């Protein structure tokens, strides 16, 4: 219940970031709805395709698709309001990220997959929507550069998996596992944004770049 | 019968536009065949993957793949002829679009999906080939900017669905539904091209863009 | 046995080329692991999704994913060593290409698909990893321009298929088919690199380009 509320908050917020990205590329309404949909439900779709988990969520529940397209179109009317309230969006987007990760992890666990794959499923659900948005809008995928994002999906996935697997003997039930993952993951993400925590970046220096280009030319 | 003839016309025309796009990027023959295939049968492939509708069309009928690759290679020999006859191509491409949409809608209906998803299936079938072509050739996806295209797939999908679902009581059979969708959809597309009908475009003004960039940096 | 050793060599080499490409785009560690994974196991993943061959290899055997991510991270520490030894990489990458093609062809044959689709499965397995890498790193896909690459996967696929299908009556067993495809394919690839064998390139001349742009604007 809590999770499905958060899921709807999450897809709405993600759809709005998708619509803004589409607006920066001067797309038409169809483009806005396409990018909004891919951003909001692309992560879950890629996860379900990778795991062979059919039917996809939005095929079984088409109203998610309607919500997402509407959110995209509404964003075109209130872009300046959205831009002024970007702090709110960081919050909603972060809540959505953790909710997506928990849902992804659960899908993997319900399918009886190994713990690592359940956590990969969490990361894919949390991250691929934004990746698809950036590919469609032809910009450098943000998730690969900026403050911790995929790492938080990874952390939330492991935490939820751990609480669900080993928490039972300490009286941890499902709601408790969900809620504590949400709170800790959200706090972690807010700290990452505030203090600009990042993963180490791998930059090839110019000299090496030249050599590598040589390498790449022939490989 | 009519539909499968139109399907072959459609994939051939789409393969040729794919090959031309590949030629603009100086690709080799493999690239030409790859882009031609993705353009021509990519839409149906994405639809079948999203709906879990296996085996894919071209896996079951490999001769479609042969037709498409041949069309791509033949295009490299007659590029200037193709360029001179671009009006013909707009016609063939439009016929293909409507045929793809009808086929996509039928696949969704045969799988017993909800009307909205059947129409989404029509749009995906009609539109994703061109999207993949533009992603592979690294250009701004045309379908998100130009004259009505996805909207016509959407319209054709609903029309076909309506005629098939409610037409029976008025004596509308399948052939009639197919033919009238084809004629109306084609006319609609030709008008859109001639009169430059477009969906409203969502452009973020420069001022908002700057603010949004700030938003995006942290989200 | 031989094949699975070569498979691990192949995915390791591919993961390293992926990590180098990510480094050229200044990605963080998550980006490096993502690009490394897509490069190394993306080809097999795309093949399995297209053929509906579930569960995916890395879902059933998560340790492949661990190897690939580790190879990506290790590459960030030894980028200059890798750059200095690029010849070694061309060898490993070529061995991997042939191993991937043989595995892809076998998957198609085990599923009872038609010969053409089995060979397409070989090409997809060999080629799509590099394609995904180049899409994620937003550069022109190399496989569509450079020395014979997909063609060698195509050749290896047909050779393996032929030896497995018709070789039995001449006493050709599976190991022999694998080994001879490896040797011939590898030699072919090395020659292609050394003598710059390429497929014919399809370049639209400037004049035609202008006309085609007109065509494309309306199509």
């Amino acid at each position: 219940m809590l999770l499905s509320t958060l899921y709807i908050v999450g897809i709405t917020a993600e759809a709005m970031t998708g619509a803004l990205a589409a607006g920066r590329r001067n797309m038409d309404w169809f483009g806005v709805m396409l990018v909004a949909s891919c951003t909001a439900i692309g992560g879950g779709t890629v996860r379900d395709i990778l795991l062979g988990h059919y039917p996809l969520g939005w095929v079984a529940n088409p109203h998610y698709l309607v919500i997402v397209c509407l959110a995209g179109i509404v964003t075109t009317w209130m872009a300046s309001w959205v831009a002024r309230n970007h702090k709110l969006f960081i919050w909603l987007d972060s809540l959505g990220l953790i909710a997506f990760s928990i849902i992804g992890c659960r899908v993997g666990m319900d399918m009886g997959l190994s713990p690592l794959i359940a956590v990969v499923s969490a990361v894919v659900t949390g991250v691929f929507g934004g990746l698809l948005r950036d590919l469609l809008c032809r910009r450098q995928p943000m998730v690969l550069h900026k403050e911790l994002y995929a790492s938080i999906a990874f952390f939330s996935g492991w935490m939820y998996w751990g609480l669900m697997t080993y928490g039972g003997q300490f009286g941890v039930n499902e709601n408790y596992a969900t809620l504590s993952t949400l709170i800790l993951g959200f706090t972690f993400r807010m700290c990452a944004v505030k203090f600009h925590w990042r993963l180490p970046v791998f930059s090839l220096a110019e000299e090496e770049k030249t050599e590598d280009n040589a390498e790449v030319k022939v490989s």
Side-chain angles (χ1 to χ4, degrees), chain A:
Chain A
M1 181 60 208
L2 168 72
L3 209 55
S4 68
T5 312
L6 281 168
Y7 178 70
I8 289 177
V9 169
I11 58 176
T12 309
E14 294 291 334
M16 294 174 104
T17 72
L20 289 177
R24 260 171 241 120
R25 288 290 184 178
N26 306 323
M27 292 189 186
D28 64 21
W29 279 15
F30 172 73
V32 168
M33 288 192 286
L34 180 78
V35 177
S37 307
C38 287
T39 312
I41 55 187
T45 300
V46 171
R47 175 202 67 217
D48 286 347
I49 291 173
L50 290 176
L51 301 182
H53 181 248
Y54 287 102
L56 303 188
W58 55 267
V59 172
N61 300 98
H63 60 272
Y64 289 146
L65 203 60
V66 176
I67 293 174
V68 160
C69 289
L70 283 180
I73 293 300
V74 166
T75 306
T76 63
W77 298 326
M78 41 184 266
S80 61
W81 181 88
V82 171
R84 253 176 297 134
N85 291 276
H86 64 260
K87 283 225 168 140
L88 176 63
F89 268 76
I90 302 169
W91 295 347
L92 296 178
D93 173 78
S94 301
L95 276 178
L97 170 66
I98 318 289
F100 285 7
S101 305
I102 293 175
I103 292 168
C105 189
R106 260 188 81 156
V107 167
M109 290 172 76
D110 289 349
M111 291 180 73
L113 301 174
S114 64
L116 178 63
I117 298 299
V119 173
V120 168
S121 160
V123 174
V124 167
T125 313
V127 165
F128 266 73
L131 258 178
L132 284 176
R133 175 193 60 207
D134 295 343
L135 281 178
L136 278 173
C137 295
R138 303 201 312 156
R139 52 182 193 181
Q140 188 67 8
M142 226 180 308
V143 71
L144 311 175
H145 293 272
K146 297 291 171 188
E147 287 89 2
L148 296 183
Y149 197 92
S151 316
I152 285 162
F154 187 77
F155 165 82
S156 307
W158 277 119
M159 180 170 169
Y160 185 78
W161 179 84
L163 285 173
M164 290 295 280
T165 309
Y166 298 112
Q169 64 212 71
F170 306 108
V172 174
N173 64 13
E174 204 184 304
N175 283 330
Y176 184 87
T178 305
L179 209 68
S180 47
T181 306
L182 262 174
I183 293 171
L184 225 79
F186 182 74
T187 313
F188 190 7
R189 170 75 182 144
M190 286 295 104
C191 290
V193 169
K194 186 158 184 63
F195 302 114
H196 300 288
W197 290 345
R198 297 187 182 191
L199 285 180
V201 163
F202 174 38
S203 285
L204 281 179
E206 213 42 59
E207 181 204 17
E208 282 160 287
K209 259 188 215 176
T210 325
E211 287 194 58
D212 284 322
N213 279 340
E215 181 257 326
V216 162
K217 246 177 207 149
V218 283
S219 77

